[in-house]
Amino acid sequence: MEALVGKALDECMGLQSTILPEGVIVLGRILSREKNTIDLEDRLLNRVKLCILKGKIHDVEDSSHTGLSEVFNRSYHDFSPSDHVRLKQQCFQLLASFAENSEIRVTEVCQLLMVVLDLEWTVNFGQNGMSSVLNEDEAYALLYDLAQRSLVSIEEISSTGRIKTIRLKGLMRDFCVLVAKQADLKLQVIDSGAEMGSPASGRIAKEVHPMTKQRMLAINAAIMDARQCHNISNDIGYRGLSSFICSKTLPAGSGLKKLLKRLKRLRILKLENQERFVKIAKRIGKLKFLMFFSLKGSFVEEVPSSISELKFLLILDLRTNCALKLPNLLWKLRRLRHLYLPHEGYIVRGGEKLRLNGLTNLRKLVNISIEDCDLNVLVTFLQLEKLVCVRRSPGQVSFPRTGGKLFNCLRSLTVEIPFGADVDISPILSCCGPSVKRLRLIGIRTLPEVNEFPPNLHKLTLKKAYLRDDPMMILGKLRCLKFLRLLEKVFNGTEMNCSQGDFKLLVSLRLEKQQHLERWNVAEGSLCHLQRLEIVECRNLSANPDALRRAPLLREILIHEMPEQFKREVQRQLPDLTLLAQI
């Protein structure tokens, strides 16, 4: 097989000198699925020649990679016959709307995919085991399948192995645009340097459909003027837009109010990363069919009361760059699934607590103030999967008691407390039943007892706890814990100890910015399943090879921003370990 790879690369370089690395990767994925027969080598080598030399993609002009595009085309059509064609096409349309070579959060793509499919049709995917409405896990499964075929490039993977971000490089994004065009999905993408309404030119602007029938418009241009924005409002070809995605700052006087007045059929509205203060007009409530509304990363001071009229809204992202004034009417958005509030804080008009009762379809609630976190209401949200609670000011506060009620489907809980605040978190921990697998605690001053943690906890993250006592004495007794991350200033002591029999299932451990930590001891019979260790910026920590030797399954260690002597000692004493990084 090694000889075959060499021949294939020789053919690629000889037939097309501009071959890209991603083309080779995708081709390798395809060839790896071929059955091992006697004529395997000749058959695969002929396949390489065919894809590179004769492969053509119609309607792509002036492309130096038409042969390599056929490689992507083959991988795209290599799905099993049961996969729904329209599902793939909509996914590629959404991917094409992002800026070239930008880092894309998988969660955001999954949310957009849910909205687009909910908009396009409500068929029953019974043959594929899907529900009538695509959920986030099913959308992720599709993106994961694309990543396995190297049609998208994986950028970041979480400690649990889940893909967090992806990246679309030049050729990959061109292919996404091509799929959208062939499927007649009516997409237009305007990148930097493009004139609004001008003919497409290479990777400058990509018009996937004549402008008289546009359905999705994505603006990634770094510089736009008011005239270009007014073209959108005035051109009749944009009146049927269902998706308006803008990730760059709109100019002053862009006529956002007029834009909202004309684009009455919008289902997706993303006004993100607006560096100028944006005023959301009251007409936002007239967008009766809006399902996705995001102001993430923008400077917005106030949201009008008319937002409560968006009866079909599924996802509302208000993670603005400043404190936000909110109407106490969000409870009227009965279909809302994901609600993201500003991390910088929010002010409810009238000085009342934020009312949430009625949002029974809510699945994600992020950055809710602890003062507004009425557990007696939240435990009635039977579909709630993720909850992030934040305390933004010092002082003493406590979660209310619930009388023994538990969260039904909650899988992930985060509690963030600022320095100087005193918050009793035991009431909310007592609501965490067997479904809670991930817990993130920031700023707590006292570590809960073993019996206070969720019983099936798989992943635990601690940050800025400033603990005086060794946390390993308690954490080591969590019987289901597999992933542990001790970040920035968790422990103020100098020595940590892992006792015999502790961390029986732990497979990944990260120690980061433990500035006072000098020694880490591991007893025999501890960390028996540890496979990956990350040590980041623990500059006073001395290398202890004996501790690492007591983790028999340890194969990878990442060393980041540590003294050179620490690295050399680990390499000298444990040469069989894979050292992943040293920066």
Side-chain angles (χ1 to χ4, degrees), residues 106-162:
V106 168
T107 301
E108 182 178 358
V109 180
C110 291
Q111 292 172 350
L112 288 169
L113 195 57
M114 285 190 303
V115 171
V116 169
L117 292 176
D118 191 281
L119 163 67
E120 290 289 335
W121 74 90
T122 55
V123 298
N124 188 347
F125 294 98
Q127 295 179 350
N128 294 332
M130 293 184 178
S131 60
S132 58
V133 178
L134 193 77
N135 62 41
E136 193 168 352
D137 288 337
E138 291 164 346
Y140 175 82
L142 174 63
L143 288 174
Y144 180 82
D145 204 3
L146 295 179
Q148 291 301 299
R149 288 171 167 78
S150 298
L151 291 172
V152 295
S153 178
I154 299 175
E155 188 71 14
E156 182 181 359
I157 298 178
S158 70
S159 58
T160 60
R162 190 178 178 89

Side-chain angles (χ1 to χ4, degrees), residues 253-509:
S254 58
L256 183 58
K257 181 177 180 180
K258 184 179 180 181
L259 181 68
L260 297 180
K261 182 179 179 180
R262 297 291 178 86
L263 306 181
K264 296 181 179 180
R265 300 180 183 178
L266 278 181
R267 269 70 170 180
I268 296 174
L269 177 58
K270 291 179 62 178
L271 294 173
E272 299 183 345
N273 304 316
Q274 303 297 308
E275 297 177 356
R276 297 184 179 90
F277 275 96
V278 177
K279 183 177 181 180
I280 305 301
K282 293 181 180 179
R283 291 201 60 87
I284 188 71
K286 300 296 182 181
L287 302 179
K288 299 294 185 181
F289 305 106
L290 198 63
M291 304 171 74
F292 185 109
F293 182 36
S294 175
L295 297 172
K296 184 179 178 181
S298 297
F299 285 90
V300 180
E301 294 181 324
E302 187 174 1
V303 173
S305 300
S306 59
I307 196 173
S308 62
E309 300 174 18
L310 304 176
K311 303 301 183 183
F312 291 96
L313 199 62
L314 297 177
I315 297 170
L316 178 58
D317 194 339
L318 300 176
R319 288 176 288 183
T320 56
N321 282 343
C322 55
L324 191 64
K325 292 181 181 178
L326 292 176
N328 204 4
L329 299 172
L330 298 183
W331 61 273
K332 292 187 176 182
L333 304 174
R334 305 280 182 177
R335 294 191 59 185
L336 199 63
R337 295 186 197 172
H338 298 176
L339 174 58
Y340 300 89
L341 297 168
H343 187 272
E344 301 301 322
Y346 56 86
I347 302 171
V348 181
R349 294 197 193 105
E352 303 173 345
K353 287 188 175 182
L354 186 63
R355 182 180 174 185
L356 296 174
N357 59 308
L359 301 180
T360 55
N361 290 312
L362 208 59
R363 298 180 182 178
K364 290 187 179 182
L365 178 57
V366 176
N367 295 335
I368 182 173
S369 174
I370 291 179
E371 292 85 348
D372 296 331
C373 194
D374 189 345
L375 294 181
N376 290 293
V377 173
L378 296 183
V379 293
T380 64
F381 296 171
L382 301 182
Q383 300 183 60
L384 188 63
E385 298 176 352
K386 180 177 181 178
L387 176 62
V388 178
C389 306
V390 180
R391 168 74 173 178
R392 297 180 175 85
S393 58
Q396 187 172 4
V397 70
S398 177
F399 290 95
R401 299 282 175 177
T402 62
K405 295 181 180 178
L406 300 178
F407 287 108
N408 187 58
C409 293
L410 191 68
R411 294 189 293 185
S412 175
L413 172 65
T414 298
V415 179
E416 184 174 348
I417 305 168
F419 184 80
D422 184 11
V423 179
D424 180 13
I425 65 172
S426 59
I428 193 169
L429 289 181
S430 67
C431 296
C432 296
S435 63
V436 179
K437 300 294 193 299
R438 296 186 292 273
L439 178 63
R440 194 166 182 256
L441 302 176
I442 302 175
I444 62 170
R445 296 295 176 266
T446 304
L447 197 63
E449 296 297 326
V450 174
N451 59 358
E452 293 181 309
F453 282 96
N456 294 332
L457 188 64
H458 286 181
K459 181 177 180 180
L460 174 63
T461 300
L462 298 177
K463 184 177 180 180
K464 293 184 178 179
Y466 304 99
L467 300 174
R468 295 181 179 179
D469 297 327
D470 184 1
M472 296 301 191
M473 297 293 102
I474 293 178
L475 302 181
K477 305 299 187 294
L478 300 177
R479 57 186 179 85
C480 295
L481 192 63
K482 296 181 179 180
F483 306 92
L484 177 60
R485 302 168 76 233
L486 302 182
L487 310 181
E488 194 177 352
K489 302 175 182 177
V490 170
F491 181 44
N492 278 343
T494 60
E495 185 171 328
M496 286 198 308
N497 298 280
C498 295
S499 303
Q500 184 177 6
D502 286 355
F503 299 108
K504 292 182 178 180
L505 297 181
L506 195 71
V507 297
S508 177
L509 172 63

Side-chain angles (χ1 to χ4, degrees), residues 188 196-198 207 209-214 235-238:
Q188 183 182 8
M196 190 69 65
S198 66
E207 286 189 41
H209 198 277
M211 292 177 57
T212 55
K213 298 181 180 179
Q214 293 299 333
D235 195 322
I236 192 174
Y238 291 106

